[in-house]
Amino acid sequence: MIRYVFFIVTLFILFLPSCKQNINTGQDNNWSSFETLSIPLEIRQAEFDKGNIAPNFSFEEGENLEKTDTLIKSFNLESWTVVGDNVQWADTVSIKYDAESVSLGNKAIKIERRWADVKDIDNKSSGVLSDFIEVVPGNYLFYFDVRMLDVHPSCDRLNSKLGTDIDVRIKYFDKDKKEIPAGIYYDYWGKDVDNGFKGFAFSNFYYMPGFNWGKVKGRTLNYPFSEGDMPDGCRYVKLYLGFKGRGTVWYDNIDFRLSKWNFTTLERLSPMFEKEYQLTSLLVPKPKKVARPTNINFSNKDIYIVLPKLDVNTNIAASKLLKKYFTQASIVKGDINENIENALVFNIGETQLYKENIDKLDITEISDKEQGYIIQKIEAENQIIFLKGGASDIGNYYAATTIVQLIDKKTSTYQHANIVDYPDFTGRSYITNVYKNRWTINKDTSLSSEEKLEKINQLDKDIQQELSGVGHYAFYKINKVYNNYASLGKQWWGPGQFFTDLYEGLGKESERLGVINPCVMINPYFHFDYESEERNLPDSLRNIFSHSNPKDINKIKNLITEAVNNNTNTVMICADDFVPHSGSTRGIYALFTDADKKAYFNMAHAQSDMMNDLRTWLDKTNPEVRLEFCPAPYLNQFIDYGQGSAEAFFRDLVSHAPEDMAIIWTGNTVRSLCYDMADIKRYSDLIGRKPMLWDNTPYARELEGQYGGYPAHYPGKAVMCNLFEPYDIIVPKDFHKIMDPHIYSNQTGFTERHKIKYATFADFAWNCNGYDADFSLYKTLVGIFGKDDALKLLQFNDNYYKLISIWAKIRNGKEDAKEDKPYLIEGLDKEKATVYIENLNRIYLSLEQSISNKRLLDELKKTMDRFST
């Protein structure tokens, strides 16, 4: 098991003078990357504030030693040393290098290795090695821009993939600058891994014919490995960017810095509570453009909400939303005859008032955007606010959801701004709860008749609660809601009254609001067990569904029909996790009925036939319905499991499947906390289109089980977890432009704390480049609960995860650790835990007095009840 050196630091302990001297004169030996709070906050903050500490990060500084205008192979590079041969200093000032030779500035490193340069025996790497870089124990981000051309493995006869040939590394050194081993213990695997190698992003490519300049994360592994940790005892590092294969590689714009994952949520967000923000800065989602903010006091004003005479549900919903916040307002349909000279008027859509002023409004930027909108006041003295959608009335409602966030109720002030806005991802979704339907409940032999009836009654109540939350998501501009296919049960083709009630309810809410649609998710393999072996399937399961049987395809169509009749506009067919595979090798998926084995060459052939059938049928009945498909190898790591079969699967699938069928991807692994250009290129090339992101990260860091995050494998880092964790992933700039325009977040929207999380997801999906995860959470909490209670919630979380950290260390230190086993907290840890529990109770009692959200309070109470004094 992992060995940890414990150095307890809390908000209640002051550092002794000897410790202060240690901070000023050198690093404490007890500081550890794996114990976040072992390092004083001021040290972490000072290192974080340095930003990029990679020296000469764009290779601009150095001396060209060539005497003529030729390829620059002889040079001195400031703060870097050339290693091996074949390294050039590309310089666009020289006629020998074009603009594509660099990513930033005028210079870059170019490594060109031909057949003769790559040795079969004792093959040496070529590259550049940095000078010493001083670090503190902690977690660092390492990024580099890279370009490749015609890159092959170093030894084709032995290595079919690039492996370690993209030779990016970090070398670690102690306080005396002596190199220390790069191995680091990985609890998930139960052994050390090479934490020095950071070229893993390219390791599983067979060959790279071309890779345009892209930003890539230097990494050893994917989640749940904590990428970027410095080994204990490390005080200096050197960065190495090299190449051992055949072809050409360029490096530029190196970025190495302390990451945000050295701070608790409370530490990161506390400074925000010390500032005052204009309401226009606190909007969720963040608009694209905000201009000319001005305050309008409406306490003594007449307020009118003007609608077109013949109106649609979307505009009616917008007017009701405004009326809810401007309670004294009057709703007027058609012409407004009242004197509005000193009134505050909100004009929704294309009224007569709008037509009279259309020449003064600028709608060009959103005119072709179905969900775009403007909020505009024409003249400084005029208090007519125009809400106008782009290519549809949807934008009118979205404008209203923005306006009501600009109201200061305490001062009866509306903080107006002229706003131009539209989404990055046009499809932004949430998912309903996982339910056991009536059939599943009745099949449960462990339940008595009374217990079954109780669960069925609760199911009906939960569905009503689910439906009551649709408006919350529409408010944050989420426009799609999926069912969870597990809720259909193992008899997925006959989910019963539950399915009808859910979709009828969702359809009514969709009709009422006009801005959000149900989506249906079906897995026609769910009757199988998780990752079953095809040879072990019983005939009773094997013959439930066959791709070649029209009656079985109709099982899918019947569910789709019921959903589409209730305003569903998206169908997702899932083939994840439950498709049987050949033998014991996960990743090689197999046909499982005799009929299919005769009708199809392979699973790709069968599934493309199924999806074509559904597309053809939908085109005849509901051509506007979007079709999505989640394949069995839905992430890069699963492609590796397939031993080459996944590449063949996608070749056969995409060459015959509908061209407009979206294909799901979860990233480099199941819960991908980072998406870089190498990850995206690998999957995009295989599927021949932009991937649709299915994101599993909203709960990634807080998971406690075997496949979990910090509590499971890094208990000293669990203090950074967050009950209200915002959507927090790292993506390339303009992420939405290189992905499918729809994005899916796989987290139930049923609970109150997940509603908070989803608001931050909506913020990201609407405005990727303008998104800041921590500030998004601050905005959301303050917007819903106010500043004081928002801070209390974060304090509650801070104490909770400090307690979890202690518990997880004890649990993870037991050889027979099980999730359901209680563990005693003793000694000094018990004293600390007692303080945290007392703090939790005190904060909870305070929240009980100040917030009215009983469901959230109940959820917080359940988290507290896990521990007792």
Side-chain angles (χ1 to χ4, degrees):
M1 306 302 291
I2 300 179
R3 296 179 180 177
Y4 292 92
V5 179
F6 298 110
F7 183 76
I8 304 299
V9 179
T10 72
L11 297 176
F12 311 102
I13 295 178
L14 297 175
F15 292 101
L16 298 174
S18 60
C19 186
K20 288 182 179 178
Q21 184 179 3
N22 210 6
I23 292 171
N24 293 330
T25 59
Q27 297 186 9
D28 193 296
N29 290 331
N30 290 327
W31 296 358
S32 172
S33 300
F34 308 102
E35 289 288 336
T36 301
L37 296 182
S38 70
I39 308 166
L41 175 59
E42 58 265 39
I43 299 297
R44 287 177 277 139
Q45 190 64 57
E47 182 73 2
F48 182 82
D49 290 343
K50 291 178 183 177
N52 185 9
I53 57 175
N56 193 15
F57 64 90
S58 189
F59 307 115
E60 299 297 315
E61 304 301 323
E63 181 184 7
N64 181 0
L65 301 179
E66 298 288 354
K67 302 302 181 182
T68 60
D69 193 1
T70 184
L71 295 177
I72 305 174
K73 297 182 179 180
S74 178
F75 59 95
N76 290 325
L77 199 60
E78 185 175 312
S79 303
W80 295 80
T81 301
V82 174
V83 176
D85 301 320
N86 315 112
V87 182
Q88 301 176 35
W89 190 23
D91 185 352
T92 57
V93 174
S94 167
I95 61 172
K96 297 296 182 179
Y97 300 96
D98 60 20
E100 291 299 310
S101 297
V102 302
S103 176
L104 180 72
N106 293 317
K107 298 180 177 68
I109 293 300
K110 178 181 179 181
I111 308 169
E112 188 173 19
R113 289 163 61 96
R114 298 186 174 92
W115 178 269
D117 300 316
V118 181
K119 307 301 181 183
D120 199 63
I121 299 174
D122 196 23
N123 183 44
K124 301 293 186 182
S125 179
S126 302
V128 291
L129 179 69
S130 76
D131 292 348
F132 286 107
I133 303 170
E134 188 173 6
V135 296
V136 300
N139 182 271
Y140 282 76
L141 286 174
F142 179 24
Y143 275 88
F144 53 90
D145 290 1
V146 62
R147 178 189 171 203
M148 299 182 191
L149 183 63
D150 201 25
V151 169
H152 296 259
S154 55
C155 187
D156 298 83
R157 69 184 181 87
L158 297 178
N159 301 322
S160 62
K161 294 184 178 181
L162 292 180
T164 60
D165 287 339
I166 305 304
D167 195 20
V168 178
R169 296 185 177 272
I170 298 179
K171 295 178 178 292
Y172 303 99
F173 301 85
D174 65 14
K175 60 184 176 61
D176 298 319
K177 297 185 177 179
K178 294 180 180 179
E179 188 167 2
I180 60 178
I184 199 167
Y185 185 79
Y186 185 28
D187 183 62
Y188 183 61
W189 284 357
K191 60 183 179 182
D192 286 356
V193 298
D194 180 4
N195 191 42
F197 175 64
K198 298 298 177 182
F200 182 66
F202 296 101
S203 291
N204 286 293
F205 282 86
Y206 290 96
Y207 157 64
M208 186 67 75
F211 184 84
N212 294 329
W213 280 111
K215 187 172 292 297
V216 172
K217 185 177 184 180
R219 62 183 187 267
T220 295
L221 274 174
N222 299 318
Y223 174 94
F225 183 76
S226 176
E227 179 55 56
D229 291 334
M230 298 295 105
D232 285 340
C234 177
R235 297 299 182 262
Y236 296 90
V237 299
K238 288 186 175 184
L239 308 179
Y240 179 71
L241 299 135
F243 179 40
K244 295 190 297 185
R246 173 164 53 91
T248 309
V249 176
W250 293 258
Y251 292 108
D252 199 355
N253 192 23
I254 315 306
D255 194 338
F256 184 73
R257 65 181 68 212
L258 195 74
S259 80
K260 64 183 282 185
W261 296 107
N262 295 276
F263 304 90
T264 68
T265 304
L266 188 60
E267 287 174 337
R268 296 199 307 269
L269 269 66
S270 286
M272 300 176 191
F273 287 88
E274 300 171 4
K275 300 177 182 178
E276 294 297 329
Y277 297 95
Q278 289 189 326
L279 292 177
T280 48
S281 297
L282 299 177
L283 290 169
V284 180
K286 180 180 180 179
K288 292 292 192 298
K289 294 182 180 180
V290 178
R292 296 166 57 192
T294 181
N295 290 334
I296 300 175
N297 187 285
F298 57 84
S299 57
N300 296 314
K301 287 184 178 294
D302 292 329
I303 302 176
Y304 297 99
I305 301 168
V306 184
L307 292 167
K309 192 170 185 179
L310 298 175
D311 218 348
V312 296
N313 288 355
T314 306
N315 291 343
I316 294 170
S319 67
K320 288 181 177 179
L321 181 63
L322 291 175
K323 172 70 174 175
K324 178 181 177 181
Y325 287 83
F326 295 100
T327 54
Q328 72 270 43
S330 301
I331 297 177
V332 179
K333 285 193 174 184
D335 295 339
I336 182 167
N337 299 317
E338 290 81 356
N339 183 355
I340 61 172
E341 185 174 341
N342 294 310
L344 177 59
V345 178
F346 294 98
N347 183 93
I348 300 174
E350 297 185 4
T351 64
Q352 183 60 37
L353 192 61
Y354 167 81
K355 293 174 183 177
E356 292 171 359
N357 291 276
I358 189 171
D359 292 340
K360 302 174 185 176
L361 298 170
D362 185 4
I363 62 170
T364 54
E365 200 166 345
I366 54 100
S367 60
D368 62 340
K369 293 178 172 59
E370 186 179 28
Q371 300 172 46
Y373 68 90
I374 61 163
I375 299 170
Q376 195 167 332
K377 186 163 72 78
I378 299 173
E379 300 168 357
E381 68 276 5
N382 192 327
Q383 293 188 348
I384 303 175
I385 313 299
F386 290 92
L387 295 71
K388 180 65 179 71
S392 79
D393 290 319
I394 292 172
N396 296 336
Y397 182 82
Y398 287 162
T401 67
T402 298
I403 282 177
V404 298
Q405 295 181 64
L406 298 174
I407 299 170
D408 185 340
K409 293 181 180 179
K410 292 180 180 178
T411 61
S412 296
T413 300
Y414 161 59
Q415 189 178 104
H416 173 77
N418 285 351
I419 291 175
V420 177
D421 202 13
Y422 49 88
D424 286 341
F425 285 96
T426 55
R428 306 166 302 280
S429 64
Y430 78 98
I431 186 172
T432 62
N433 201 14
V434 180
Y435 298 103
K436 289 186 177 180
N437 61 23
R438 289 169 177 81
W439 182 87
T440 304
I441 293 170
N442 285 324
K443 284 288 184 181
D444 190 343
T445 57
S446 69
L447 299 175
S448 67
S449 299
E450 292 77 13
E451 289 171 329
K452 290 177 180 178
L453 181 60
E454 182 181 352
K455 287 186 175 294
I456 288 172
N457 290 336
Q458 186 61 48
L459 175 64
D460 294 334
K461 293 177 183 178
D462 286 346
I463 290 175
Q464 294 308 309
Q465 179 65 45
E466 188 83 67
L467 297 175
S468 71
V470 175
H472 168 87
Y473 291 101
F475 180 86
Y476 288 108
K477 301 180 176 65
I478 285 177
N479 62 348
K480 301 176 72 176
V481 49
Y482 289 84
N483 67 305
N484 189 304
Y485 69 66
S487 298
L488 302 181
K490 287 298 182 179
Q491 188 177 283
W492 56 264
W493 60 94
Q497 190 61 39
F498 149 79
F499 187 80
T500 300
D501 293 345
L502 179 63
Y503 274 87
E504 284 183 353
L506 291 174
K508 288 176 182 177
E509 283 297 282
S510 173
E511 189 68 27
R512 178 180 71 85
L513 294 166
V515 295
I516 188 168
N517 287 89
C519 308
V520 64
M521 181 192 297
I522 303 165
N523 188 331
Y525 312 94
F526 190 60
H527 52 285
F528 295 123
D529 290 335
Y530 178 82
E531 289 289 346
S532 299
E533 291 187 37
E534 189 271 333
R535 63 189 175 188
N536 295 331
L537 295 176
D539 289 342
S540 58
L541 291 179
R542 191 186 294 271
N543 295 317
I544 284 175
F545 177 78
S546 185
H547 303 85
S548 58
N549 188 341
K551 291 183 179 179
D552 291 339
I553 298 298
N554 282 340
K555 292 176 180 178
I556 300 175
K557 292 179 180 178
N558 291 338
L559 292 174
I560 294 174
T561 297
E562 185 165 1
V564 169
N565 287 343
N566 288 290
N567 239 25
T568 288
N569 68 352
T570 300
V571 173
M572 182 190 290
I573 302 299
C574 294
D576 60 317
D577 298 344
F578 295 91
V579 177
H581 55 80
S582 297
S584 60
T585 304
R586 178 180 177 175
I588 303 177
Y589 298 96
L591 298 168
F592 47 83
T593 68
D594 290 340
D596 280 359
K597 291 174 183 178
K598 293 178 181 178
Y600 304 114
F601 298 115
N602 52 31
M603 182 59 76
H605 187 192
Q607 290 179 341
S608 64
D609 186 51
M610 173 178 67
M611 299 307 291
N612 276 314
D613 188 320
L614 294 176
R615 181 71 272 170
T616 301
W617 170 69
L618 283 169
D619 284 343
K620 293 176 181 177
T621 57
N622 299 93
E624 74 286 354
V625 171
R626 172 182 162 92
L627 189 61
E628 300 167 347
F629 179 66
C630 181
Y634 55 87
L635 55 104
N636 292 4
Q637 189 174 334
F638 284 3
I639 294 169
D640 301 335
Y641 290 166
Q643 301 174 6
S645 66
E647 288 85 350
F649 168 84
F650 281 120
R651 177 199 64 205
D652 295 341
L653 177 78
V654 301
S655 61
H656 295 90
E659 291 184 1
D660 63 350
M661 179 184 79
I663 298 180
I664 299 295
W665 180 57
T666 67
N668 48 58
T669 189
V670 177
R671 289 176 280 278
S672 304
L673 297 171
C674 167
Y675 304 84
D676 65 26
M677 295 306 297
D679 297 324
I680 296 166
K681 176 178 175 56
R682 188 176 181 204
Y683 199 76
S684 298
D685 284 355
L686 287 176
I687 66 173
R689 64 202 72 191
K690 297 176 181 178
M692 175 184 165
L693 184 61
W694 170 313
D695 191 277
N696 289 315
T697 64
Y699 50 86
R701 294 180 179 92
E702 68 183 58
L703 286 177
E704 298 172 4
Q706 178 184 0
Y707 304 108
Y710 290 149
H713 304 297
Y714 302 92
K717 293 174 175 285
V719 294
M720 296 186 289
C721 292
N722 189 351
L723 291 165
F724 318 103
E725 182 167 342
Y727 189 66
D728 205 337
I729 61 174
I730 301 176
V731 299
K733 185 180 179 182
D734 293 332
F735 184 57
H736 59 288
K737 294 181 181 179
I738 54 179
M739 300 295 290
D740 183 273
H742 289 232
I743 184 172
Y744 168 92
S745 178
N746 191 36
Q747 173 180 248
T748 172
F750 186 73
T751 69
E752 295 303 305
R753 73 183 186 99
H754 289 169
K755 287 180 179 178
I756 294 167
K757 290 184 173 193
Y758 259 117
T760 68
F761 167 75
D763 200 10
F764 169 87
W766 188 272
N767 189 345
C768 296
N769 290 341
Y771 181 71
D772 180 295
D774 290 334
F775 190 54
S776 184
L777 179 59
Y778 173 83
K779 294 188 299 180
T780 300
L781 290 176
V782 170
I784 297 175
F785 301 104
K787 206 169 183 179
D788 292 342
D789 287 332
L791 183 57
K792 290 177 192 175
L793 289 169
L794 293 177
Q795 291 167 339
F796 182 96
N797 176 81
D798 191 66
N799 282 276
Y800 177 71
Y801 274 109
K802 285 176 179 175
L803 185 59
I804 285 287
S805 180
I806 293 173
W807 166 79
K809 289 171 192 174
I810 295 171
R811 183 196 66 164
N812 293 13
K814 303 289 186 182
E815 292 298 328
D816 59 346
K818 295 179 181 178
E819 290 184 55
D820 58 350
K821 180 175 179 177
Y823 295 99
L824 285 177
I825 300 176
E826 299 175 315
L828 179 60
D829 283 339
K830 182 177 180 180
E831 293 178 18
K832 305 286 293 176
T834 300
V835 172
Y836 299 144
I837 291 172
E838 289 174 351
N839 288 340
L840 286 170
N841 283 307
R842 174 179 52 79
I843 297 167
Y844 180 81
L845 289 173
S846 178
L847 286 168
E848 267 192 319
Q849 303 302 313
S850 55
I851 68 173
S852 58
N853 189 329
K854 187 177 183 305
R855 292 186 78 233
L856 177 60
L857 290 170
D858 288 344
E859 291 170 20
L860 296 180
K861 184 70 163 59
K862 287 179 181 177
T863 64
M864 293 168 53
D865 289 346
R866 295 182 62 187
F867 303 95
S868 64
T869 56

